[in-house]
Amino acid sequence: MTKAELISSVAELSGLKKVEAEKAVSAFIASVTTALKSGDKLSLVGFGTFSTAKRAARKGQNPQTGKKIDIPAATVPKFKPGKTLKEAVNVVVAAKKKK
């Protein structure tokens, strides 16, 4: 699903106009980004938790050239799905496998 498809879905499910749904989706993304940049966690009960993790510096290898490279330390975003989301996805996956 693309951002445009998400906006259309939000508009349809909420009864908002597409312009309003786009503002809502953009505001949600901006809010999550701001929270993560400031080091906060964002928990949506049943859906999941957005957080960050520190990734240590390490050595790597360019797969095309085989040349050794240094990969710098970084802070990366993480998402841990909640129980309700996991169960909803597993029901869909199980139903598709039965077909």
Side-chain angles (χ1 to χ4, degrees), residues 28-40:
F28 175 76
I29 292 169
S31 296
V32 171
T33 303
T34 301
L36 296 180
K37 283 171 77 172
S38 66
D40 293 337

Side-chain angles (χ1 to χ4, degrees), residues 51 64-65 73:
S51 62
Q64 288 183 321
T65 64

Side-chain angles (χ1 to χ4, degrees), residues 10-28:
V10 168
E12 185 179 320
L13 292 171
S14 67
L16 296 171
K17 294 178 182 174
K18 278 193 179 182
V19 172
E20 295 166 334
E22 182 176 4
K23 286 181 183 178
V25 169
S26 295
F28 175 76

Side-chain angles (χ1 to χ4, degrees), residues 1-2 6 10-11 13 15 18 21 24 26 28-29 31 35 39 43-45 52 54 60 63 69 73 86 88 97:
M1 177 181 277
T2 64
L6 175 62
V10 168
L13 292 171
K18 278 193 179 182
S26 295
F28 175 76
I29 292 169
S31 296
S43 295
L44 301 172
V45 177
T52 58
K54 301 256 186 233
I69 57 172
K86 282 186 207 176
K97 285 185 177 180

